[in-house]
Amino acid sequence: IFYIIFSGLNLCAYSQNYSITWQSPIGGDSTDKLTSMIQTFDGGMVLCGFSNSNISGDKTQNSINDSYDYWVLKLSKTGVTQWAKTYGGTDRDLYPTIIQTKDSGYLMGGSSISPSSGSKTEDAINESFDYWAIKIDKAGNKVWDNTIAGIQFEKLAAVLESSSGYFCVDLPIQQQVMIKHIPMKAQVYGRITG
């Protein structure tokens, strides 16, 4: 179960006049873990995490193969769920992070070991955890997804948007930051082109 507390317009600010605007437990009947939360352009918020809950509580879609999948919820500024979506394959899809993109959609990325299945269109490389990026529109509908990886374990730390495309930021075991670019062409095709 996610426990969400929203106070004011700036999620990161703490003031002496702290007051709870609303609070709500959100979740299903199994394990639900919150990994990312952002305020949206409309003053609401998007919650992103992973879950193996099936339809129950706030879960409106089953997990795929009873494994962990990305779970995203869009809430209004008063905490009302506007939509909730599950994205994943038949194995584990973990630790997603999310940003809102300039087109009012969202870019989400995390680590996945799932093969091409469910809403995932590409296999994990060498059956190890890879980046898995998903572009969704403002209503949570998948636009494209992309598996990005090498031959070892990759753990995505952040996704970014710039004028030249999207970026995935990696924190590898050697603690050296590595940045991989998803060119703007990926907005249309969802594939790395260079």
Side-chain angles (χ1 to χ4, degrees):
I1 292 180
F2 297 150
Y3 287 94
I4 305 307
I5 299 174
F6 180 76
S7 176
L9 294 176
N10 189 344
L11 293 174
C12 299
Y14 179 82
S15 70
Q16 292 177 341
N17 299 330
Y18 177 79
S19 64
I20 296 173
T21 305
W22 60 262
Q23 60 183 346
S24 176
I26 298 173
D29 63 2
S30 196
T31 302
D32 311 297
K33 300 212 180 229
L34 177 68
T35 57
S36 183
M37 173 172 66
I38 60 169
Q39 186 171 13
T40 56
F41 299 154
D42 65 3
M45 56 191 326
V46 165
L47 312 177
C48 181
F50 59 97
S51 172
N52 67 347
S53 291
N54 286 314
I55 296 172
S56 58
D58 299 291
K59 278 292 297 270
T60 58
Q61 297 170 299
N62 284 327
S63 67
I64 299 164
N65 203 38
D66 291 324
S67 65
Y68 288 107
D69 301 308
Y70 296 174
W71 186 34
V72 183
L73 295 94
K74 169 66 174 82
L75 305 178
S76 71
K77 60 177 126 182
T78 58
V80 175
T81 300
Q82 296 175 313
W83 53 261
K85 302 280 185 166
T86 298
Y87 310 92
T90 56
D91 209 326
R92 290 160 289 160
D93 310 299
L94 303 171
Y95 303 105
T97 186
I98 195 164
I99 61 170
Q100 188 164 25
T101 53
K102 293 173 192 168
D103 63 2
S104 295
Y106 303 92
L107 178 65
M108 175 176 35
S111 298
S112 174
I113 197 169
S114 287
S116 177
S117 55
S119 51
K120 191 166 186 237
T121 61
E122 298 171 311
D123 289 334
I125 298 169
N126 288 333
E127 298 179 0
S128 68
F129 278 97
D130 299 321
Y131 298 152
W132 185 35
I134 305 173
K135 178 70 172 84
I136 58 177
D137 66 19
K138 66 181 180 179
N141 301 306
K142 187 177 94 169
V143 177
W144 54 258
D145 72 299
N146 192 223
T147 298
I148 308 159
I151 58 172
Q152 296 182 352
F153 177 90
E154 278 84 28
K155 185 174 188 317
L156 187 128
V159 289
L160 308 168
E161 180 180 29
S162 77
S163 59
S164 63
Y166 301 117
F167 294 86
C168 296
V169 180
D170 184 17
L171 292 176
I173 295 170
Q174 298 89 355
Q175 300 303 311
Q176 297 172 350
V177 175
M178 183 167 42
I179 300 176
K180 297 184 180 182
H181 180 241
I182 308 171
M184 289 298 276
K185 210 173 195 185
Q187 288 184 5
V188 177
Y189 301 107
R191 300 283 182 259
I192 294 178
T193 59

